[in-house]
Structure formats: structure tokens, C-alpha cells
Amino acid sequence: MSDCLRCGACCAHFRVDFSVYETASYCGSVPDGLVVEVAGATVRMRGTDHWPPRCAALTGTIGERVACAIYEWRPSPCREFEAGSDACARARARHGLPALAADG
Ligand code: SF4
Ligand code: SF4
């Protein structure tokens, strides 16, 4: 949605963890170079556990214009994240952005 193209706050707020089986080397889609190992079968988007957090795949300026460099290949947490959710509002608040309007 267009709000997200002017935001990107969630890509620079949460740890983004998912199964190693979503990575390219396991016949998934997420490029191996953009993930770091966590433990067991869990991996994390590179940059999301740095401080301040920012996913290595995020391009642009938060709150102005952003894009996901691997949008077609992004992992499941990113596909499932809901714009307009409470989590979305928390991420936006941390970046000084107001919650999305109820109608998106
Ligand atoms: S924080 Fe919400 S509005 Fe911003 S990019 Fe994420 S889902 Fe979209
Ligand atoms: S992979 Fe893309 S959608 Fe997911 S956190 Fe990184 S920049 Fe955001």
C-alpha cells in the first residue's frame, strides 16, 4: 500500500526472524547474504538486531520514500505484517510518525 512506500518504520524497528528453510540455499527465496544465523533453524534479516535496527534490504529514507530491495523474495514475517495494526503504530511512533488512519 502507498502508506508503506512513504514509511518503512517496521523494517527499522523489529527483529525479523524466520526459518532457515525460507532462505535461497534451502530452496526458499530470501537471499543468503541478507540473513544472519540466530540459533537452530532460525535466521534473522541482517541489520534488524543492530541498534538502531534497520533491515539491510531497506532502501531509502524512513518517513519519506522507501523500498524493500527483495520485495518479491521477502520472508514470511514481512508478508504477514499488517499495515494499520498495533505493531505498525508502535513502529511508526518510534520514528515519530502518526498511526495510520483507520481507513488506511
Ligand atoms: S510501519 Fe506500517 S505503514 Fe510503515 S511500512 Fe510498516 S506496515 Fe507500512
Ligand atoms: S526484508 Fe524487506 S519488508 Fe522485510 S524487513 Fe527487510 S526491508 Fe522490510
Side-chain angles (χ1 to χ4, degrees):
M1 72 190 294
S2 60
D3 286 309
C4 295
L5 294 176
R6 294 190 300 270
C7 179
C10 53
C11 308
H13 182 64
F14 299 105
R15 285 179 179 160
V16 180
D17 289 359
F18 52 95
S19 167
V20 70
Y21 296 106
E22 293 191 45
T23 60
S25 60
Y26 284 84
C27 296
S29 62
V30 184
D32 297 298
L34 284 172
V35 306
V36 293
E37 291 181 20
V38 178
T42 300
V43 293
R44 179 172 293 160
M45 284 308 298
R46 187 179 295 279
T48 64
D49 61 357
H50 292 181
W51 190 259
R54 180 178 169 122
C55 179
L58 185 69
T59 63
T61 303
I62 293 165
E64 294 182 12
R65 188 81 190 167
V66 294
C68 172
I70 59 163
Y71 188 79
E72 297 293 324
W73 305 283
R74 69 199 189 286
S76 54
C78 308
R79 296 176 185 278
E80 293 161 6
F81 196 83
E82 290 185 32
S85 64
D86 288 348
C88 165
R90 286 201 304 277
R92 285 177 59 89
R94 196 181 89 69
H95 288 275
L97 300 167
L100 294 184
D103 61 0

